[in-house]
Amino acid sequence: MDVEETPGGIECVLPFAPELIGNTRLPAIHGGVIGSFLEMTAILRLVAESGLDNVPRPISFTIDYLRSAGPRETRARGEIFKLGRRISHVHVIAWQDERDRPIAAANGKFLMA
């Protein structure tokens, strides 16, 4: 996983690798890989914005799988809804070819302290 600095904030990049395929018939990237990628993107966004020394711990994290993720690079960006001292809320979207056609979206609540 790579992290790129963009004008709108950090953007995470998951390069394609054959071992990420979960369904060889489609082929599609495994949902667990996409879920982990979304959660890591949310955590990295929180660390970048909060300046905390410790890593925020997930309280809840829900994922909506919107379409299958093909065998190519996947990108994600997190948006912080509320950055609190104890609890923060983040929304993350992942896409492949077009940002307007997300493959998955997630909402997470994290314990900051």
Side-chain angles (χ1 to χ4, degrees):
M1 185 172 129
D2 299 321
V3 179
E4 294 179 359
E5 190 74 37
T6 64
I10 62 169
E11 200 168 280
C12 294
V13 181
L14 179 67
F16 174 72
E19 51 273 6
L20 300 180
I21 295 293
N23 184 339
T24 55
R25 286 180 149 188
L26 292 177
I29 296 175
H30 193 278
V33 173
I34 299 298
S36 299
F37 179 55
L38 291 168
E39 188 171 331
M40 286 301 300
T41 300
I43 290 172
L44 288 172
R45 181 64 195 252
L46 284 172
V47 168
E49 293 294 324
S50 68
L52 286 175
D53 292 334
N54 56 336
V55 177
R57 291 179 286 174
I59 297 170
S60 67
F61 199 78
T62 57
I63 303 166
D64 294 321
Y65 295 97
L66 305 173
R67 47 183 60 88
S68 81
R72 53 193 168 273
E73 177 184 275
T74 305
R75 295 181 160 268
R77 178 178 286 180
E79 181 180 342
I80 298 173
F81 285 140
K82 180 185 177 196
L83 183 60
R85 287 186 303 170
R86 291 186 46 88
I87 296 176
S88 294
H89 301 263
V90 183
H91 180 70
V92 184
I93 293 177
W95 69 94
Q96 289 189 313
D97 298 327
E98 302 171 39
R99 189 174 176 171
D100 295 339
R101 293 181 38 90
I103 59 165
N107 287 305
K109 187 187 309 180
F110 293 86
L111 182 63
M112 302 300 285

